[in-house]
Amino acid sequence: MIRSPAPPQDDELVQSTLHGKPDAFATLVERYDRSVYHLAYRTMHDPEEARDIAQEAFFKAYRSLRTFRPGAKFSTWIFSITYHACCDRLNRRKRYSSEELPERADSGPGPAETAVAQDEARRLRAAVDALPEKYRTAITLYHLQGKQYEEIARVLNIPMGTVKTHLFRAKEQLRKMLTEQTVEAEQ
Amino acid sequence: MKHEFDDNHLDRLLFSLPLEEPPRDLRESILAATIYRPAFALKAWEIWMIGGLCAVLVWLCGLIVAGGGPAFMATLGVIGGGAWRGLATENAWLWLLLGVGATFWLGMLNINVAPIPSGMKKDFSRQ
């Protein structure tokens, strides 16, 4: 039986791009565009800005691909670029707007007949949106990257202990909000 | 629905949460901004060279304006006057006409001996 060749690793794709094979970068975009957009969207709460940031992050990554350290994870690198782009925009927003940043997203009540799983997902999404920014980003990366505290610490450039604290508090707040919502929905 | 969201339940919910759908043309726009971005027409050394020349020109203009203005204008006047005096003679006009005529005649000559391959011919009728 002929085995199909294993898909190339991210660092191999980076090396191929650097050796003049642009299609390799297209594969990287295909792998991470959705996650990058998701992280930007969760942080910014604006689809247009999330789109711009995703484009900007990949552009920056492509332009500085030579600085990518061999052995590092491309996902961590691109998420880090994305997160910094989000921070820049949030800072600009704070500087140029007198309005307070929305700490809570709208979470209107869903129809009662919605399926339980969908309802839970909707509630969870609303609860994540309602978290403070630092917890929201930590929980979004946790969701995107799995339980890799070290990766999250690298992306956010904070100690691993702080990541664990942020995740613990984020989960505590989520648990509290979801429980309250469930009780309210049943009353 | 459970009233108590324990750690495992919350983790399960988080990991089963679907990612937001990105705009349809996001991937295309990223690729257009990266690998399909048209290369810049000039090379880096050419930009440096043009920049250097511009800097020298600006420096020279600065020098002229700062102190050498009248001397520069006087030099230009001498050169212009010389050229005008040269053109005022009949011989100069004769040689000039001869040069223009030769250029025109050379331009009329068809030096392309080999036929152009059909694949290289442009269809100008469609333009």
Side-chain angles (χ1 to χ4, degrees), chain A:
Chain A
M1 202 174 119
I2 301 167
R3 278 188 185 177
S4 59
Q9 298 291 310
D10 289 352
D11 48 355
E12 289 171 357
L13 291 170
V14 169
Q15 288 308 314
S16 298
T17 311
L18 288 174
H19 286 102
K21 291 180 184 165
D23 285 352
F25 192 77
T27 311
L28 285 170
V29 172
E30 209 172 294
R31 277 185 195 172
Y32 294 107
D33 62 346
R34 209 166 167 226
S35 321
V36 163
Y37 176 81
H38 182 77
L39 176 61
Y41 182 83
R42 286 275 139 215
T43 313
M44 303 303 292
H45 280 165
D46 182 344
E48 274 307 308
E49 279 200 293
R51 179 205 166 92
D52 288 350
I53 286 170
Q55 199 173 321
E56 187 185 320
F58 277 104
F59 176 68
K60 279 184 182 168
Y62 185 68
R63 215 178 42 184
S64 49
L65 214 53
R66 285 185 195 284
T67 64
F68 178 73
R69 277 186 300 113
K73 279 186 87 175
F74 182 80
S75 57
T76 307
W77 192 53
I78 192 77
F79 285 146
S80 181
I81 295 172
T82 311
Y83 177 67
H84 285 108
C86 290
C87 288
D88 284 348
R89 292 217 177 199
L90 285 172
N91 285 338
R92 245 179 282 158
R93 244 197 233 174
K94 278 177 193 167
R95 212 177 300 150
Y96 294 115
S97 165
S98 56
E99 289 173 22
E100 282 275 311
L101 283 177
E103 195 66 18
R104 279 177 175 273
D106 289 336
S107 54
E113 62 270 16
T114 313
V116 172
Q118 280 182 332
D119 191 48
E120 269 190 337
R122 186 187 58 75
R123 283 165 192 263
L124 180 61
R125 216 183 274 272
V128 171
D129 281 347
L131 288 172
E133 188 206 314
K134 57 186 178 182
Y135 297 160
R136 193 171 64 232
T137 312
I139 210 88
T140 305
L141 283 167
Y142 174 75
H143 173 206
L144 286 173
Q145 298 245 38
K147 289 179 184 178
Q148 294 168 351
Y149 300 123
E150 210 182 323
E151 302 291 332
I152 301 171
R154 276 195 209 136
V155 172
L156 301 180
N157 201 18
I158 52 175
M160 205 155 76
T162 313
V163 172
K164 286 181 183 171
T165 311
H166 282 186
L167 282 173
F168 176 77
R169 289 188 182 152
K171 282 187 186 177
E172 276 300 306
Q173 289 198 19
L174 284 177
R175 220 190 320 271
K176 198 177 159 199
M177 281 189 270
L178 290 170
T179 310
E180 278 172 9
Q181 280 177 5
T182 311
V183 171
E184 278 171 20
E186 285 185 0
Q187 277 175 354

